[in-house]
Amino acid sequence: MKARYLAASAAMALVLGAASGARAEGELTLCWAAWDPANALVELSKEFEEQSGTKMNFEFIPWPNFADRMLNELNSGGQLCDLLIGDSQWIGGGAENGHYVKLNDFFDANGISMDDFAPATVYAYSTWPKGTENYYALPAMGDANGWFYRKDWFARPELQEAFQAEYGRPLAEPKTQLELRDIAKFFQGREIDGQTVYGASIFTERGSEGITMGITGALYAWGFKYENTPGSYDMEGAVNSPAAVEALEFYKSLYDCCTPPGYTNAYMTESLDAFKSGQVAMAMNWFAFFPGLYADPNTGGDKIDFFVNPGQNVQGSTLGGQGISVVSYSDNQEGALEYIKWFAQPDVQAKWWALGGYSAHNAVLNDPGFATSQPFAGDFLEAMANVQDFWQEPAYAELLLAMQERMHNYVVAGEGTAQEALDGLVADWTEVFKEEGKL
Amino acid sequence: MTHSAMDAAARATPPNIARRIRGLSDRTIAWLFVAPTIFLLLAINIFPLIWTVYLSFTNYRANRPNKAVEWVGFENYQNILTDDGIWANMQATAHFLFWTIVFQVLIGFTLAWLINKKFKGNDLWTTLIVLPMMLSPAVVGNFWTFLYQPQIGLFNYAVEFLTGTPASSFEMLGTTTLAPWAIVIVDTWMWTPFVMLICLAGLRSIPDYIYEAAEVDRASKWRQFWTITIPMVLPFLMLAVLFRGIENFKMFDLVVQLTGGGPGSVTELASINLKREAFEKWRTGYSSAYAIILFVTVFGLASIYVKALNKVKER
């Protein structure tokens, strides 16, 4: 079967190679998602092109298709990408299926130390098995799910007064998830400047990872754990704990009470659109978008402010972000490694942050001026101190899709109870791990 | 070709090739001509089908080249046929299939019947009506999501205008009760013209003298419709139902664009679910079995239907 697979992969690679055209020697193709930080990386990479004489090509895929497109590419042994900034959850599959080059020897030979990067990002983006010193990526883009809101609306005296009267506290950035829902309820359906506005835009998307990334923000704040004992795959009582049920019920109540009409399949773009069009008072999204939001001429600047995902029982944020890996099918691995060596330099990392990328390098993050360098920089540091990621197992896609379906069925379609949804999720995940031979 | 032209062609053939061809039988030459086509058919259709059947009995995953492949017998088939989720997908498919065909046949035939009448602007109306089927399903899906938007969607405002129900009070794509109907409406909008065109061909194939004979026999219009129009259009109508049935059984693009299978799973048709199993979860063996079940279902139903169609034609 392996020989047949290889033959099929070779044929597919041949077709893809022919389709993409021959790549000249001394060229590198970097694959990533199409979003604001990718543009910053193009700008940053010009310096590498000048220094090395290597021409950089970029393949940026829109987020909804990014996983499908790139995982197909990797699974078929495609040579489209020399470098891939892949999602953190792909690291297990990338390592175990031989898609990514192991970087330990390269790091040692070039004096690149993982101690120079934020521990949470090294753990999440680089290591497999988790927590071991086996590195398959260099932390490239730190990210977490955060919140932003209409600071100008919050500051209006009449709204301050009305909120104080209703909730007995000032209208301000929420400190807990329940406070966040109060604020969302307060704004829901309110007339502001002659327009009906809504409470919050949250992630509800069904097709890829949206609703899971939104819900985990609430789950982590309630202290959610994937396993009773890390590494045991013992999920009963952890995934469907009373606290997890409470968190899920909270997310559904937030969806039911406080989102704009028709907000049934919304992810990053919809969240940004809802905020930029002045429809919502608050919105969740990845920190990666915050520089663009702050620069927006209509709703940015002094009209916007940011806050970290509020805690409830504990502080917790959903991890985003990615590491940069060398694709093992690349015929220019040397060039790709050179790029990583260049990218790991502290001064390049500082430029990366200045251009709008989120560096995970300690030299940048620990700089005394970092927290005040942008209005969201302090929140970013706070979020990254308490991040949690989804499963990073090779079977992550099945685990994710099971959660997407269970969560969307409960939150959006209103089927069953939170307890049933989480019990069902435990059953689905148990089946996956049994198939994987881990249970 | 005339005799002299054949002679000229024979003379133009180089003597050594002519000698070689002369040595081959007609059957061999025929085989030489069809061999490339047969080879392509085997390589592109038959081999993948046989390979899929083989994979359906294994636990193979295309994204795990290092994992040992095990023969699992009928386990994949058993798991699929006893999975409540898949039966829910089948029910969603059946709902979509049944109602799209009912609406498309009724509206398509009515439009064809009206267009078949001679009136001013007949051609313009025909052109306008067939426009939706010229569009890409992805485009149609995309713009109907805007039409269904509760705050700005024209569909919701049309419903408000006609019924008084506030536009933002209902979500066609966001509620489990309305979403299955939302996809039926869009498919009906897009593909009714196709049924109409086939029915129109059927109506125009009925010779006028049959109606004239019925007039002479003083048959009422109603009787003419049921005893002449319907029986003579029926084979065309059945053909349209066959085409739409097969197409909608494997419907994917339009519905993915509209709802992505949601809310929940109420519009996750069998083909959407199959794609998720095959290319998102990478359960290649399992999804091969799923594909075989769908293939056998659609092939079986289509075969029975074609026999019925032939019987109707013979009448």
Side-chain angles (χ1 to χ4, degrees), chain A residues 36 148 271-273 275-276 283 285-301 304 306 376:
Chain A
D36 293 352
F148 42 99
S271 163
L272 296 173
D273 288 347
F275 189 82
K276 287 180 178 177
N285 221 317
W286 303 103
F287 273 86
F289 292 109
F290 289 8
L293 281 163
Y294 186 62
D296 188 87
N298 299 319
T299 54
I304 192 172
F306 309 86
F376 40 82

Side-chain angles (χ1 to χ4, degrees), chain A residues 31-39 59-63 66 70 84-85 322:
Chain A
C31 300
W32 198 11
W35 60 336
D36 293 352
N39 300 328
E59 192 71 30
F60 297 145
I61 317 291
W63 269 111
F66 181 51
M70 284 298 115
L84 172 62
I85 304 187
Q322 300 88 24

Side-chain angles (χ1 to χ4, degrees), chain A residues 72 206 262 398 409 435-436, chain B residues 61 64 171 260 264 268 282:
Chain A
N72 272 324
R206 179 183 187 274
E398 286 169 74
N409 283 355
E435 264 189 57
E436 291 286 298
Chain B
R61 284 167 183 270
R64 305 285 175 83
E171 296 173 10
E268 188 168 291
W282 292 96

Side-chain angles (χ1 to χ4, degrees), chain A residues 83-289:
Chain A
L83 290 153
L84 172 62
I85 304 187
D87 240 348
S88 54
Q89 301 98 320
W90 306 354
I91 195 85
E96 287 198 8
N97 297 324
H99 302 321
Y100 292 166
V101 172
K102 193 174 177 182
L103 298 171
N104 288 53
D105 292 344
F106 167 74
F107 286 166
D108 292 342
N110 290 280
I112 298 171
S113 170
M114 285 294 101
D115 293 340
D116 291 339
F117 291 84
T121 63
V122 174
Y123 179 87
Y125 307 151
S126 304
T127 62
W128 187 261
K130 282 291 105 192
T132 62
E133 291 185 353
N134 296 295
Y135 305 120
Y136 290 88
L138 181 92
M141 171 81 191
D143 205 357
N145 196 9
W147 290 84
F148 42 99
Y149 66 99
R150 288 296 297 262
K151 191 166 80 170
D152 56 333
W153 293 356
F154 275 46
R156 292 190 179 192
E158 71 278 15
L159 295 180
Q160 281 281 351
E161 200 177 313
F163 189 84
Q164 179 76 42
E166 200 171 338
Y167 293 97
R169 63 173 191 272
L171 177 58
E173 287 181 11
K175 298 288 174 237
T176 66
Q177 295 278 328
L178 296 179
E179 282 185 18
L180 183 144
R181 187 177 60 193
D182 288 343
I183 297 170
K185 268 185 190 166
F186 175 76
F187 278 103
Q188 183 75 5
R190 193 168 283 272
E191 287 275 321
I192 294 184
D193 300 334
Q195 191 189 345
T196 305
V197 305
Y198 303 94
S201 57
I202 58 175
F203 296 159
T204 57
E205 185 253 8
R206 179 183 187 274
S208 60
E209 60 171 21
I211 196 163
T212 299
M213 295 300 116
I215 283 174
T216 48
L219 289 172
Y220 299 153
W222 258 265
F224 179 84
K225 296 284 174 230
Y226 287 91
E227 301 157 282
N228 290 306
T229 312
S232 66
Y233 303 102
D234 172 16
M235 297 168 288
E236 184 64 46
V239 170
N240 53 356
S241 68
V245 171
E246 202 179 311
L248 184 53
E249 283 170 347
F250 161 81
Y251 199 82
K252 177 163 175 55
S253 71
L254 186 62
Y255 167 76
D256 287 339
C257 77
C258 306
T259 52
Y263 211 72
T264 55
N265 197 22
Y267 195 23
M268 303 177 221
T269 310
E270 290 77 11
S271 163
L272 296 173
D273 288 347
F275 189 82
K276 287 180 178 177
S277 61
Q279 279 192 77
V280 289
M282 297 182 290
M284 64 162 57
N285 221 317
W286 303 103
F287 273 86
F289 292 109

Side-chain angles (χ1 to χ4, degrees), chain A residues 45-90:
Chain A
S45 299
K46 285 176 182 167
E47 186 182 302
F48 174 75
E49 287 184 303
E50 277 173 26
Q51 285 177 14
S52 65
T54 303
K55 184 179 182 307
M56 292 296 295
N57 302 308
F58 296 93
E59 192 71 30
F60 297 145
I61 317 291
W63 269 111
N65 308 105
F66 181 51
D68 262 10
R69 176 75 181 83
M70 284 298 115
L71 294 177
N72 272 324
E73 178 68 20
L74 292 175
N75 289 326
S76 62
Q79 291 184 303
L80 174 69
C81 317
D82 301 298
L83 290 153
L84 172 62
I85 304 187
D87 240 348
S88 54
Q89 301 98 320
W90 306 354

